[in-house]
Amino acid sequence: MTRKLLTRRTALTGLVGGGTGLLLSGCERVAQIPGALSMLESAEVLSQHTQRAVLGQIRPLAREYQRSDISKNFKANGTTRPEGPEYAQLAMDGFSSYRLKVDGMVARPLELSLEQIRGLPSRTQITRHDCVEGWSAIGEWTGVPVSTFLQMAGVGNGSRYLIFHCADNLLGQGFYYESIDLVDAYHPQTIMAYAMNGEALPIPHGAPLRLRVERQLGYKMAKYVMRIEVADSFAKMGRGRGGFWEDLGYEWYAGI
Ligand SMILES: Nc1nc2c(c(=O)[nH]1)N[C@H]1C(S)=C(S)[C@@H](COP(=O)(O)O)O[C@H]1N2
Ligand SMILES: [Mo]
């Protein structure tokens, strides 16, 4: 494991930096984030202090590409099919019994079917995925902005992170999980993708639903997401570092 970590780390230094994307002025940046705006108007949610903390640090957009840039071979990495009867059953039914849970520090916990998720306003983006192992690939992702789920659920005061709980147990180390802060959660390119390159998300790439958080490295992009937990801390998850690979030594903020 140590050797693998070192290899992945070494590879990281060789990575070409991600596209800087559009640099928008403060106001335009906020306007890019519909969830953030209505969050400001909503009385039930985050305290003003938290709102300022979130809106004050909007991160720029990641570069978006053209259809012609899409990679013919997009490597599937890590888990390519979660083990166990529960996932097998979901997959066998074409994920018709799948429900995404959104819970934790929210006013209205959600349980959404794929059909309901597909019925929400979507965003499509063609972006480059950079893995710490040293490979990159460009793909088109379609999904629902995470901010939409947060608006629907009503984020509670004192919330700071989203924890993504996945269906796969990796390397005998426990279930894959990841976490992001609210700044990334409300970023317009942060989506729960159900389609890749115009087709239903394939199992090797995280069916039925995976996170895309485009300003960070591949390991942040949780596949096979079953549950999004709104929390004030991730200290109690795993070894407390905020993610599966973070628990094994990777950076929590994997910005590119
Ligand atoms: N649930 C889960 N999510 C995961 C992984 C995994 O093994 N399990 N691997 C991560 C890593 S290291 C990368 S590079 C990407 C790979 O996504 P892909 O299979 O679509 O290329 O998923 C990330 N998310
Ligand atoms: Mo990765």
Side-chain angles (χ1 to χ4, degrees):
M1 180 44 60
T2 312
R3 193 150 162 246
K4 183 161 190 213
L5 284 175
L6 285 175
T7 314
R8 286 171 61 117
R9 283 218 161 140
T10 313
L12 181 57
T13 47
L15 267 183
V16 183
T20 33
L22 295 170
L23 282 167
L24 303 170
S25 75
C27 284
E28 282 165 323
R29 286 190 214 168
V30 172
Q32 293 271 336
I33 305 190
L37 278 185
S38 43
M39 181 178 78
L40 273 178
E41 288 154 15
S42 166
E44 77 187 331
V45 293
L46 303 174
S47 68
Q48 277 193 5
H49 174 78
T50 315
Q51 287 169 13
R52 264 199 300 275
V54 170
L55 293 173
Q57 331 165 31
I58 301 307
R59 295 170 186 139
L61 293 174
R63 176 170 170 195
E64 294 193 14
Y65 294 79
Q66 305 296 313
R67 279 241 158 83
S68 55
D69 299 321
I70 292 173
S71 303
K72 292 207 177 59
N73 291 307
F74 196 120
K75 182 180 156 81
N77 206 31
T79 301
T80 51
R81 179 182 278 267
E83 286 171 9
E86 284 167 31
Y87 186 84
Q89 186 63 48
L90 284 177
M92 202 146 58
D93 300 342
F95 299 104
S96 57
S97 55
Y98 170 83
R99 297 290 180 274
L100 171 70
K101 290 197 182 78
V102 181
D103 61 12
M105 298 172 67
V106 298
R108 298 170 295 276
L110 310 175
E111 278 202 22
L112 300 170
S113 69
L114 258 194
E115 201 182 352
Q116 287 173 308
I117 292 169
R118 286 202 203 96
L120 294 169
S122 69
R123 185 180 206 284
T124 294
Q125 58 205 30
I126 302 174
T127 53
R128 197 183 72 193
H129 178 106
D130 295 320
C131 173
V132 288
E133 288 172 355
W135 57 272
S136 301
I138 293 174
E140 183 193 69
W141 306 97
T142 301
V144 175
V146 167
S147 62
T148 302
F149 297 119
L150 298 184
Q151 271 180 272
M152 288 168 73
V155 172
N157 278 333
S159 306
R160 295 184 62 193
Y161 303 105
L162 303 189
I163 303 172
F164 297 82
H165 299 260
C166 306
D168 59 314
N169 197 316
L170 187 58
L171 307 169
Q173 298 273 332
F175 285 93
Y176 203 95
Y177 76 101
E178 258 305 334
S179 60
I180 61 174
D181 62 18
L182 287 183
V183 182
D184 273 333
Y186 283 103
H187 190 280
Q189 289 169 320
T190 300
I191 66 174
M192 296 309 296
Y194 51 74
M196 178 187 190
N197 301 337
E199 315 250 336
L201 185 64
I203 287 177
H205 292 288
L209 205 60
R210 68 101 49 92
L211 173 65
R212 297 297 310 172
V213 48
E214 304 292 358
R215 302 265 317 163
Q216 296 204 51
L217 288 170
Y219 64 86
K220 297 299 290 188
M221 316 232 193
K223 307 195 283 189
Y224 317 110
V225 173
M226 308 304 287
R227 174 177 171 221
I228 303 174
E229 181 188 359
V230 180
D232 56 1
S233 158
F234 47 71
K236 292 201 182 97
M237 277 296 298
R239 292 182 198 162
R241 300 216 180 139
F244 179 90
W245 284 109
E246 288 86 332
D247 282 341
L248 296 171
Y250 283 16
E251 293 296 322
W252 176 77
Y253 193 78
I256 48 175

